[in-house]
Amino acid sequence: GKPWRKNLNQLELLPKTHNPTNSMTSLKLKKNGISGKDEYDQKVNRAALLEVECAEISARYKLLQQRLKAKAEKLLKEKQKEHKQLMESCAAYAMEHQTEVLKKGTRYGETAQARYGFQLGNPELVPLNSKTTWKHIAAAIAEKGKAFASRFLVFKDPEVNKTALKEANLHGEGRARLTDDDLAQLGCKIVQCDAFYIKPKAESES
């Protein structure tokens, strides 16, 4: 007969219990691992309990972090204070007893665990003398005109832009450079003092 009649006959041979919807439902149940309402209720209750437990653990963890941070900060401040005091006392002693603690003809010495000595510190901008204040310097800069003041004053305060003045002296070129005399006219100067250092040796050197 006709092809479409053959297809109809094949459909009639399918089991009447075959239901695509039922098949999808059983697949989802297998995937979720839940067999029925009782097990579903158990899993919901378990999930709620876990949420509470996770919140409690998180709260305890944050509390422990805060306590540990407070202890660490206290210990760090104590160590930093002791370190500063030792650096100051060792620097003063080394300055007064250079022939004793520094190697002959050098600016350094060493112990079993450390190297120490003097090195040239970073350049610093300071007032020309004890009578000159930063307010005096700021006023002197302002008198040079708006263009000059915009380079070397912070107008919010107003305050001297020490970094800009230092850079203009050390690295400025041409007309942008400020000489030592220029700084002196403003009431300031750049100094570079000796800085004392202590550096621990590596384990292989000790």
Side-chain angles (χ1 to χ4, degrees):
K2 297 181 180 180
W4 61 270
R5 285 188 180 276
K6 186 177 181 181
N7 292 337
L8 283 174
N9 291 334
Q10 286 177 343
L11 285 172
E12 288 176 359
L13 292 174
L14 287 172
K16 291 184 178 180
T17 55
H18 178 75
N19 188 327
T21 305
N22 289 339
S23 176
M24 288 294 289
T25 305
S26 62
L27 182 65
K28 285 181 181 177
L29 285 174
K30 286 179 183 177
K31 190 174 181 181
N32 293 329
I34 300 174
S35 59
K37 182 66 167 59
D38 289 343
E39 187 177 354
Y40 173 78
D41 289 351
Q42 290 175 6
K43 289 188 180 294
V44 168
N45 292 337
R46 175 62 179 163
L49 179 62
L50 285 171
E51 185 170 337
V52 173
E53 290 178 349
C54 288
E56 289 176 350
I57 293 170
S58 178
R60 286 200 299 269
Y61 176 67
K62 287 179 181 177
L63 182 61
L64 287 172
Q65 275 188 318
Q66 290 171 354
R67 288 177 179 173
L68 183 61
K69 183 182 177 184
K71 286 182 180 178
E73 286 177 347
K74 182 182 177 183
L75 182 61
L76 180 61
K77 285 181 180 178
E78 290 172 357
K79 298 291 183 184
Q80 287 175 332
K81 182 180 178 180
E82 183 185 3
H83 179 263
K84 183 181 178 182
Q85 290 172 344
L86 286 171
M87 289 294 292
E88 289 174 351
S89 59
C90 288
Y93 187 90
M95 185 63 76
E96 294 171 5
H97 304 83
Q98 294 187 31
T99 55
E100 178 187 347
V101 301
L102 302 180
K103 290 185 178 182
K104 189 175 181 180
T106 71
R107 306 183 74 211
Y108 64 87
E110 62 182 307
T111 65
Q113 297 181 5
R115 288 189 174 86
Y116 58 84
F118 293 95
Q119 61 188 10
L120 207 56
N122 295 323
E124 290 185 26
L125 188 74
V126 298
L128 200 58
N129 51 53
S130 58
K131 294 181 179 180
T132 306
T133 66
W134 289 111
K135 285 186 177 181
H136 294 144
I137 297 168
I141 292 172
E143 288 176 3
K144 294 282 185 179
K146 288 184 178 180
F148 191 85
S150 65
R151 289 178 61 198
F152 303 116
L153 282 182
V154 180
F155 282 99
K156 276 187 177 180
D157 301 312
E159 196 174 84
V160 176
N161 190 334
K162 299 174 188 176
T163 302
L165 280 173
K166 189 166 66 173
E167 288 296 312
N169 175 264
L170 298 174
H171 307 295
E173 295 181 0
R175 296 180 65 183
R177 184 173 185 273
L178 293 181
T179 64
D180 291 344
D181 288 339
D182 292 331
L183 292 181
Q185 289 177 13
L186 298 173
C188 56
K189 62 182 178 179
I190 288 179
V191 297
Q192 205 165 0
C193 302
D194 279 340
F196 183 73
Y197 68 87
I198 296 176
K199 295 180 181 177
K201 287 182 178 179
E203 289 185 12
S204 58
E205 298 178 290
S206 300

